[in-house]
Every structure is written in structure tokens, then in C-alpha cells.
């Protein structure tokens, strides 16, 4: 699976009831667990934000703004 799929899948599966994903570790560790570099992780977050699927709230929180479209990326 490609990097966008892996990231979208993580966000969909780990988001709370309010569609907010909270980082419990560093971006570097999450990126490594997803099999990508930290730079790729950040770039893919930016791509998802440009597509208006997510909104980066802070260094530790991401709000899913379009859950249905994000889920489509995980199929």
C-alpha cells in the first residue's frame, strides 16, 4: 500500500468519536511505524490537508474534516 493509504488508514482507525486524531508519540516514530520517513509523513499530511480531508489543529492533533472521502482512500 502507498504512503497516503497507510496514513489515511491510521487516521481513520485511530481517530476518536469527534474525528480527532491525537499523536501519542512523535511524528518520527509514527512515520517509522508506517514505513516512511518523517518528511514523507509531513508531506502526505499536507496533501490530505490540501484536499480538505483533514485539518492540522496543532503539533499533536489532527481533525478529520471529511471522513467519508478519507475512508475512500483506505479501500
Amino acid at each position: 500500500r502507498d504512503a497516503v493509504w497507510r496514513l489515511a488508514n491510521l487516521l481513520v482507525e485511530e481517530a476518536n468519536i469527534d474525528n480527532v486524531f491525537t499523536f501519542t508519540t512523535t511524528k518520527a516514530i509514527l512515520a517509522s511505524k508506517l514505513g516512511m520517513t518523517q518528511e514523507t509523513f509531513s508531506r502526505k499530511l499536507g496533501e490530505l490537508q490540501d484536499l480538505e480531508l483533514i485539518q492540522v489543529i496543532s503539533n499533536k492533533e489532527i481533525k478529520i474534516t471529511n471522513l467519508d472521502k478519507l475512508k475512500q482512500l483506505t479501500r
Side-chain angles (χ1 to χ4, degrees), residues 5-41:
W5 183 92
R6 293 189 307 260
L7 178 55
N9 193 56
L10 171 76
L11 295 174
V12 168
E13 288 188 2
E14 300 294 327
N16 67 20
I17 192 95
D18 297 322
N19 290 332
V20 175
F21 174 82
T22 303
F23 291 95
T24 57
T25 186
T26 66
K27 288 181 182 177
I29 292 172
L30 273 177
S32 177
K33 286 182 179 182
L34 294 175
M36 63 183 86
T37 66
Q38 184 176 350
E39 292 80 12
T40 299
F41 183 85

Side-chain angles (χ1 to χ4, degrees), residues 4 8 11 27 31 39 47 51 55-56 64-65:
V4 171
L11 295 174
K27 288 181 182 177
E39 292 80 12
E47 288 176 19
L51 293 170
Q55 177 184 6
V56 178
I64 298 172
T65 55

